[in-house]
Amino acid sequence: MKITRRGLLAAGAAGSFVAAAPQILRAADKVVLRLSTPATPTDQRAVALTDVFGPAVAGFADFQPHWNATLFKQGTELAAIARGNLEMSITSPQELAQIFPNWSIFTAGYLLRDAEHQKKVFEAPFMEPMKQEVEDKLGVKLLTVMYLGRRQLNLRFPKAEKDVQTPADLAGVKLRMPGTDAWMFLGRALGANPVPVAFTEVYTALQTGAIDGQDNPLPTDKDSKFYEVTKQICLTSHLVDQNYIAFSKKVWDKLSKDEQATVQKAIDAAADSERQKQLALEEELVAFFKAQGLDVYTPDVAAFRAHVQEAYLKSPFSKDWPKGMVDEINKL
Ligand code: KDO
């Protein structure tokens, strides 16, 4: 199913997705919270949701996660929540930007500095109108921010064959990106030739040579075993990647104030636990990948930063960014 911005917003504005939504599911008198995501069950976001979030809300909610995109395809989850067919997902600014162009600000490379900066930005007062618009027009509450990690280039060639120091070295490299405009733009801004591939297809695409490489944070490269089918990791740290926990507003409004507070506390605790684990893994994993025989090295990051930032400032995306927000973000 293709999500169109106009289609979704029209449904939201007319309230039709609310009217057409099926009854909120209840199992044994508990609210059913189905979450759909392409994340694997061993990914730290999944671990935190299963071990921290699920048990904390178990008094009134039956948390039912579906990993590996088995319930909804990557990128179709927001539409499913808006239409009342799903209660939760792990979304991203890249997905939100397809519907609300101002969210593309967070798809820009080299904007957020680190995990702490990312959390401060999500909680900053200037984010409120953006979150409110998503809630009002799409019926989706963004409950918390989850740190996915710093995205790094991960290629099939050994460094001896392809030494990537600057964006020019990526010319012609078929770099897999998730299939939205914002991700594809990031691939081009890095200097590569971006190819859209769903997350669940990346391992095979690397194995068969359909793509030359992909970008993800180190914990994802380990968890999804991309190191088995690649030869180098070039530490560009081009995006401090963030995910948001999306929650159906319709379901939220049916919860009591106490239940809402419990959900919020539980999801924040899950995000905190996940953030600490991802940060620790990012530290540890360089040694792991080297031990697996991969070349792991730092390129000319200043060259990548200059190239990527210039591409964004000149791009049509930046025209939709809320006025002054880049400065507000940098000030935090
Ligand atoms: C990916 O497709 O590369 C990506 O890392 C993008 C993220 O925004 C996030 O959606 C993630 O995939 C999935 O949750 C799978 O880990």
Side-chain angles (χ1 to χ4, degrees):
M1 179 194 47
K2 180 141 172 53
I3 307 169
T4 65
R5 176 168 182 265
R6 215 172 345 139
L8 268 181
L9 293 183
S16 58
F17 70 79
V18 176
Q23 281 292 312
I24 291 168
L25 300 175
R26 289 198 170 253
D29 229 28
K30 289 188 179 181
V31 183
V32 173
L33 298 178
R34 290 165 306 162
L35 174 138
S36 182
T37 174
T40 67
T42 45
D43 172 297
Q44 292 307 318
R45 292 163 300 172
V47 170
L49 285 163
T50 306
D51 295 352
V52 180
F53 177 75
V57 299
F60 55 92
D62 183 8
F63 178 55
Q64 298 179 4
H66 296 263
W67 315 113
N68 293 320
T70 44
L71 192 56
F72 287 95
K73 271 200 332 210
Q74 182 175 25
T76 63
E77 303 92 342
L78 282 177
I81 298 178
R83 296 195 169 105
N85 297 327
L86 182 68
E87 292 75 45
M88 293 176 72
S89 79
I90 304 178
T91 192
S92 63
Q94 290 81 5
E95 289 174 2
L96 287 163
Q98 286 182 285
I99 310 164
F100 305 100
N102 51 355
W103 283 85
S104 71
I105 190 166
F106 296 115
T107 70
Y110 297 107
L111 176 69
L112 300 182
R113 291 189 298 273
D114 53 27
E116 199 195 341
H117 188 212
Q118 181 180 88
K119 185 166 183 276
K120 273 192 196 156
V121 169
F122 183 76
E123 290 166 358
F126 61 73
M127 290 299 296
E128 283 314 313
M130 287 174 71
K131 293 182 198 165
Q132 195 61 51
E133 189 186 20
V134 175
E135 193 170 320
D136 294 345
K137 296 194 177 153
L138 202 59
V140 169
K141 284 184 78 72
L142 301 173
L143 294 186
T144 200
V145 63
M146 277 200 175
Y147 174 70
L148 192 60
R150 284 165 293 153
R151 289 180 88 93
Q152 317 290 4
L153 295 175
N154 173 214
L155 307 181
R156 291 177 73 234
F157 322 106
K159 184 167 186 270
E161 231 175 85
K162 185 94 203 145
D163 184 1
V164 179
Q165 291 300 328
T166 68
D169 298 322
L170 286 177
V173 168
K174 287 181 280 169
L175 182 68
R176 173 271 169 178
M177 301 303 287
T180 71
D181 293 348
W183 281 118
M184 297 293 281
F185 186 84
L186 178 61
R188 271 192 297 278
L190 287 164
N193 180 13
V195 182
V197 177
F199 183 77
T200 43
E201 311 296 324
V202 173
Y203 185 97
T204 310
L206 287 168
Q207 196 175 36
T208 58
I211 51 173
D212 299 325
Q214 62 93 29
D215 80 312
N216 255 297
L218 300 185
T220 306
D221 293 343
K222 161 97 187 325
D223 181 60
S224 289
K225 301 197 168 39
F226 296 148
Y227 63 88
E228 291 179 350
V229 284
T230 54
K231 292 278 192 298
Q232 66 159 289
I233 295 179
C234 173
L235 299 167
T236 42
S237 296
H238 51 270
L239 185 75
V240 179
D241 202 0
Q242 56 188 339
N243 287 152
Y244 310 117
I245 298 299
F247 195 97
S248 158
K249 177 169 160 46
K250 185 165 193 253
V251 175
W252 179 267
D253 289 344
K254 292 270 156 74
L255 300 176
S256 70
K257 288 277 171 263
D258 277 358
E259 290 169 344
Q260 289 175 352
T262 304
V263 167
Q264 187 62 58
K265 202 170 153 211
I267 205 71
D268 286 338
D272 282 344
S273 148
E274 184 266 356
R275 186 176 300 108
Q276 296 318 319
K277 289 194 181 152
Q278 283 303 76
L279 286 167
L281 279 173
E282 283 186 296
E283 286 294 309
E284 284 163 38
L285 286 176
V286 170
F288 171 82
F289 293 124
K290 284 186 176 165
Q292 301 297 313
L294 272 77
D295 298 308
V296 184
Y297 62 100
T298 305
D300 182 348
V301 175
F304 273 102
R305 179 179 292 113
H307 194 262
V308 167
Q309 286 183 339
E310 197 193 345
Y312 275 92
L313 290 176
K314 282 190 187 153
S315 75
F317 291 117
S318 62
K319 298 189 179 49
D320 292 313
W321 297 352
K323 244 192 155 21
M325 199 182 270
V326 170
D327 291 337
E328 299 266 11
I329 290 170
N330 288 335
K331 263 193 261 158
L332 277 182

Short mmCIF file of all heavy atoms in Angstrom, two decimals, residues 37-40 43 45 74 90-95 148 151 176-178 183 197-200 202 214-217 220 224 241-243, ligand 1:
data_model
loop_
_atom_site.label_atom_id
_atom_site.label_comp_id
_atom_site.label_asym_id
_atom_site.label_seq_id
_atom_site.Cartn_x
_atom_site.Cartn_y
_atom_site.Cartn_z
N THR A 37 6.91 -3.61 13.53
CA THR A 37 8.19 -2.98 13.19
C THR A 37 9.05 -3.96 12.39
O THR A 37 8.95 -5.17 12.60
CB THR A 37 8.96 -2.57 14.47
OG1 THR A 37 10.27 -2.09 14.10
CG2 THR A 37 9.15 -3.73 15.42
N PRO A 38 9.92 -3.43 11.51
CA PRO A 38 10.88 -4.33 10.84
C PRO A 38 12.03 -4.75 11.77
O PRO A 38 12.83 -5.60 11.39
CB PRO A 38 11.42 -3.49 9.68
CG PRO A 38 11.06 -2.09 9.98
CD PRO A 38 9.95 -2.07 10.97
N ALA A 39 12.11 -4.16 12.96
CA ALA A 39 13.20 -4.52 13.88
C ALA A 39 13.14 -6.02 14.23
O ALA A 39 12.06 -6.60 14.29
CB ALA A 39 13.09 -3.69 15.16
N THR A 40 14.30 -6.59 14.46
CA THR A 40 14.37 -8.00 14.86
C THR A 40 14.04 -8.11 16.36
O THR A 40 14.16 -7.13 17.08
CB THR A 40 15.80 -8.55 14.67
OG1 THR A 40 16.66 -7.89 15.61
CG2 THR A 40 16.32 -8.33 13.26
N ASP A 43 17.10 -6.97 18.56
CA ASP A 43 17.51 -5.57 18.51
C ASP A 43 17.23 -4.96 19.89
O ASP A 43 16.26 -5.34 20.55
CB ASP A 43 16.63 -4.97 17.40
CG ASP A 43 16.70 -3.48 17.27
OD1 ASP A 43 16.32 -2.79 18.22
OD2 ASP A 43 17.11 -3.02 16.20
N ARG A 45 16.00 -2.17 20.84
CA ARG A 45 14.69 -1.53 21.00
C ARG A 45 13.66 -2.60 21.33
O ARG A 45 12.80 -2.42 22.20
CB ARG A 45 14.28 -0.80 19.71
CG ARG A 45 15.13 0.40 19.38
CD ARG A 45 14.95 0.81 17.94
NE ARG A 45 15.33 -0.27 17.05
CZ ARG A 45 15.15 -0.29 15.74
NH1 ARG A 45 14.57 0.72 15.14
NH2 ARG A 45 15.55 -1.32 15.01
N GLN A 74 7.59 -2.36 6.24
CA GLN A 74 8.29 -1.16 6.68
C GLN A 74 7.74 0.07 5.96
O GLN A 74 7.62 0.09 4.74
CB GLN A 74 9.80 -1.28 6.39
CG GLN A 74 10.61 -0.08 6.87
CD GLN A 74 12.13 -0.26 6.69
OE1 GLN A 74 12.56 -1.03 5.83
NE2 GLN A 74 12.91 0.42 7.49
N ILE A 90 7.36 1.66 15.70
CA ILE A 90 8.60 2.41 15.92
C ILE A 90 8.78 3.23 14.65
O ILE A 90 9.13 2.69 13.61
CB ILE A 90 9.80 1.46 16.11
CG1 ILE A 90 9.56 0.48 17.26
CG2 ILE A 90 11.07 2.26 16.33
CD1 ILE A 90 10.70 -0.53 17.48
N THR A 91 8.48 4.53 14.73
CA THR A 91 8.55 5.33 13.51
C THR A 91 9.82 6.18 13.48
O THR A 91 10.68 6.06 14.37
CB THR A 91 7.27 6.17 13.31
OG1 THR A 91 7.28 6.69 11.99
CG2 THR A 91 7.16 7.30 14.31
N SER A 92 9.94 6.99 12.46
CA SER A 92 11.17 7.77 12.28
C SER A 92 10.83 9.11 11.65
O SER A 92 9.76 9.26 11.03
CB SER A 92 12.12 7.01 11.36
OG SER A 92 11.51 6.88 10.07
N PRO A 93 11.72 10.10 11.76
CA PRO A 93 11.45 11.37 11.08
C PRO A 93 11.35 11.19 9.57
O PRO A 93 10.60 11.92 8.91
CB PRO A 93 12.66 12.25 11.43
CG PRO A 93 13.65 11.38 12.12
CD PRO A 93 12.97 10.12 12.55
N GLN A 94 12.06 10.19 9.03
CA GLN A 94 12.00 9.97 7.58
C GLN A 94 10.59 9.55 7.16
O GLN A 94 10.12 9.95 6.08
CB GLN A 94 13.01 8.88 7.17
CG GLN A 94 14.46 9.28 7.27
CD GLN A 94 15.02 9.19 8.69
OE1 GLN A 94 14.35 8.74 9.62
NE2 GLN A 94 16.25 9.62 8.87
N GLU A 95 9.92 8.74 7.99
CA GLU A 95 8.54 8.35 7.68
C GLU A 95 7.59 9.54 7.88
O GLU A 95 6.72 9.80 7.06
CB GLU A 95 8.12 7.17 8.56
CG GLU A 95 8.82 5.88 8.17
CD GLU A 95 8.56 4.71 9.11
OE1 GLU A 95 7.79 4.84 10.09
OE2 GLU A 95 9.15 3.65 8.87
N LEU A 148 18.82 5.02 17.96
CA LEU A 148 19.22 3.85 17.18
C LEU A 148 20.74 3.77 17.08
O LEU A 148 21.32 2.69 17.03
CB LEU A 148 18.59 3.89 15.79
CG LEU A 148 18.68 2.60 14.97
CD1 LEU A 148 18.00 1.43 15.69
CD2 LEU A 148 18.08 2.77 13.59
N ARG A 151 24.86 6.31 12.36
CA ARG A 151 24.90 5.48 11.14
C ARG A 151 26.28 5.55 10.50
O ARG A 151 26.87 6.62 10.39
CB ARG A 151 23.78 5.92 10.16
CG ARG A 151 22.40 5.52 10.68
CD ARG A 151 21.29 5.94 9.75
NE ARG A 151 20.98 4.96 8.73
CZ ARG A 151 20.05 4.01 8.84
NH1 ARG A 151 19.32 3.91 9.94
NH2 ARG A 151 19.81 3.18 7.85
N ARG A 176 22.56 1.03 -0.41
CA ARG A 176 21.16 0.79 -0.03
C ARG A 176 20.69 1.84 0.97
O ARG A 176 21.40 2.18 1.92
CB ARG A 176 21.04 -0.60 0.61
CG ARG A 176 19.65 -0.89 1.19
CD ARG A 176 19.49 -0.45 2.64
NE ARG A 176 18.11 -0.50 3.08
CZ ARG A 176 17.71 -0.21 4.31
NH1 ARG A 176 18.57 0.14 5.23
NH2 ARG A 176 16.42 -0.27 4.63
N MET A 177 19.49 2.37 0.73
CA MET A 177 18.84 3.25 1.70
C MET A 177 17.40 2.74 1.86
O MET A 177 16.86 2.13 0.93
CB MET A 177 18.81 4.71 1.21
CG MET A 177 20.17 5.34 0.93
SD MET A 177 21.36 5.38 2.29
CE MET A 177 20.71 6.62 3.37
N PRO A 178 16.77 3.00 3.03
CA PRO A 178 15.35 2.69 3.13
C PRO A 178 14.60 3.52 2.08
O PRO A 178 15.08 4.59 1.69
CB PRO A 178 14.99 3.13 4.55
CG PRO A 178 16.29 3.21 5.28
CD PRO A 178 17.32 3.59 4.26
N TRP A 183 15.54 9.51 2.92
CA TRP A 183 16.68 8.58 2.99
C TRP A 183 17.47 8.61 1.69
O TRP A 183 18.70 8.60 1.70
CB TRP A 183 16.19 7.15 3.25
CG TRP A 183 15.82 6.83 4.66
CD1 TRP A 183 14.59 6.45 5.11
CD2 TRP A 183 16.68 6.80 5.81
NE1 TRP A 183 14.63 6.20 6.45
CE2 TRP A 183 15.90 6.40 6.91
CE3 TRP A 183 18.04 7.08 6.03
CZ2 TRP A 183 16.41 6.26 8.20
CZ3 TRP A 183 18.56 6.95 7.30
CH2 TRP A 183 17.75 6.54 8.38
N VAL A 197 15.89 -0.22 -0.71
CA VAL A 197 15.67 -1.64 -0.38
C VAL A 197 15.06 -1.68 1.02
O VAL A 197 15.54 -0.97 1.91
CB VAL A 197 17.01 -2.43 -0.39
CG1 VAL A 197 16.80 -3.89 0.02
CG2 VAL A 197 17.71 -2.36 -1.75
N ALA A 198 14.06 -2.53 1.24
CA ALA A 198 13.47 -2.66 2.58
C ALA A 198 14.48 -3.32 3.52
O ALA A 198 15.30 -4.14 3.08
CB ALA A 198 12.19 -3.50 2.51
N PHE A 199 14.40 -2.97 4.79
CA PHE A 199 15.37 -3.46 5.76
C PHE A 199 15.47 -4.99 5.76
O PHE A 199 16.57 -5.55 5.82
CB PHE A 199 14.99 -2.96 7.17
CG PHE A 199 15.99 -3.37 8.21
CD1 PHE A 199 17.20 -2.71 8.33
CD2 PHE A 199 15.74 -4.45 9.05
CE1 PHE A 199 18.16 -3.11 9.27
CE2 PHE A 199 16.68 -4.85 9.99
CZ PHE A 199 17.88 -4.18 10.10
N THR A 200 14.32 -5.65 5.66
CA THR A 200 14.31 -7.11 5.73
C THR A 200 15.00 -7.78 4.53
O THR A 200 15.28 -8.97 4.56
CB THR A 200 12.86 -7.63 5.83
OG1 THR A 200 12.06 -6.88 4.92
CG2 THR A 200 12.30 -7.47 7.24
N VAL A 202 17.92 -6.49 3.17
CA VAL A 202 19.29 -5.97 3.03
C VAL A 202 20.35 -7.08 3.04
O VAL A 202 21.27 -7.07 2.21
CB VAL A 202 19.58 -4.92 4.13
CG1 VAL A 202 21.05 -4.49 4.11
CG2 VAL A 202 18.70 -3.69 3.94
N GLN A 214 25.48 -0.64 2.64
CA GLN A 214 24.31 -0.11 3.35
C GLN A 214 24.84 0.75 4.49
O GLN A 214 26.04 0.73 4.79
CB GLN A 214 23.44 -1.26 3.88
CG GLN A 214 24.11 -2.19 4.90
CD GLN A 214 23.87 -1.79 6.34
OE1 GLN A 214 22.84 -1.19 6.67
NE2 GLN A 214 24.84 -2.11 7.21
N ASP A 215 23.94 1.52 5.11
CA ASP A 215 24.36 2.29 6.29
C ASP A 215 23.43 1.98 7.44
O ASP A 215 22.21 1.94 7.27
CB ASP A 215 24.37 3.79 5.99
CG ASP A 215 22.98 4.42 6.05
OD1 ASP A 215 22.05 3.85 5.45
OD2 ASP A 215 22.83 5.45 6.71
N ASN A 216 24.00 1.70 8.58
CA ASN A 216 23.24 1.50 9.82
C ASN A 216 24.20 1.65 10.98
O ASN A 216 25.41 1.59 10.80
CB ASN A 216 22.58 0.10 9.84
CG ASN A 216 21.08 0.16 9.58
OD1 ASN A 216 20.33 0.74 10.37
ND2 ASN A 216 20.63 -0.41 8.48
N PRO A 217 23.67 1.84 12.18
CA PRO A 217 24.55 1.90 13.35
C PRO A 217 25.19 0.54 13.61
O PRO A 217 24.65 -0.51 13.22
CB PRO A 217 23.59 2.29 14.48
CG PRO A 217 22.42 2.92 13.81
CD PRO A 217 22.27 2.19 12.51
N THR A 220 23.17 -2.49 14.87
CA THR A 220 22.30 -3.11 13.85
C THR A 220 23.13 -4.00 12.93
O THR A 220 22.70 -5.10 12.55
CB THR A 220 21.58 -2.01 13.03
OG1 THR A 220 20.89 -1.15 13.92
CG2 THR A 220 20.60 -2.61 12.04
N SER A 224 21.90 -7.82 12.80
CA SER A 224 21.35 -8.37 11.56
C SER A 224 22.42 -9.09 10.74
O SER A 224 22.19 -9.44 9.57
CB SER A 224 20.67 -7.27 10.74
OG SER A 224 19.48 -6.89 11.38
N ASP A 241 20.89 8.61 14.50
CA ASP A 241 19.57 8.14 14.06
C ASP A 241 18.59 8.04 15.22
O ASP A 241 18.93 7.54 16.30
CB ASP A 241 19.72 6.78 13.38
CG ASP A 241 18.56 6.49 12.45
OD1 ASP A 241 17.66 7.33 12.33
OD2 ASP A 241 18.56 5.40 11.83
N GLN A 242 17.38 8.50 14.97
CA GLN A 242 16.38 8.47 16.03
C GLN A 242 15.10 7.82 15.56
O GLN A 242 14.69 7.95 14.41
CB GLN A 242 16.10 9.86 16.56
CG GLN A 242 15.65 10.87 15.51
CD GLN A 242 15.58 12.26 16.08
OE1 GLN A 242 15.48 12.44 17.29
NE2 GLN A 242 15.60 13.26 15.23
N ASN A 243 14.48 7.12 16.47
CA ASN A 243 13.17 6.53 16.24
C ASN A 243 12.22 7.09 17.30
O ASN A 243 12.65 7.47 18.38
CB ASN A 243 13.21 5.01 16.39
CG ASN A 243 13.90 4.33 15.21
OD1 ASN A 243 14.46 3.27 15.37
ND2 ASN A 243 13.88 4.93 14.04
C1 KDO B 1 16.83 0.87 8.10
O1 KDO B 1 15.91 0.48 7.36
O2 KDO B 1 18.01 0.95 7.73
C2 KDO B 1 16.47 1.32 9.51
O3 KDO B 1 17.65 1.35 10.29
C3 KDO B 1 15.83 2.69 9.49
C4 KDO B 1 15.30 3.06 10.87
O4 KDO B 1 14.57 4.27 10.82
C5 KDO B 1 14.42 1.96 11.46
O5 KDO B 1 13.17 1.99 10.91
C6 KDO B 1 15.07 0.57 11.30
O6 KDO B 1 15.57 0.36 10.00
C7 KDO B 1 14.10 -0.59 11.53
O7 KDO B 1 13.47 -0.48 12.77
C8 KDO B 1 14.82 -1.95 11.47
O8 KDO B 1 15.84 -2.01 12.43
#
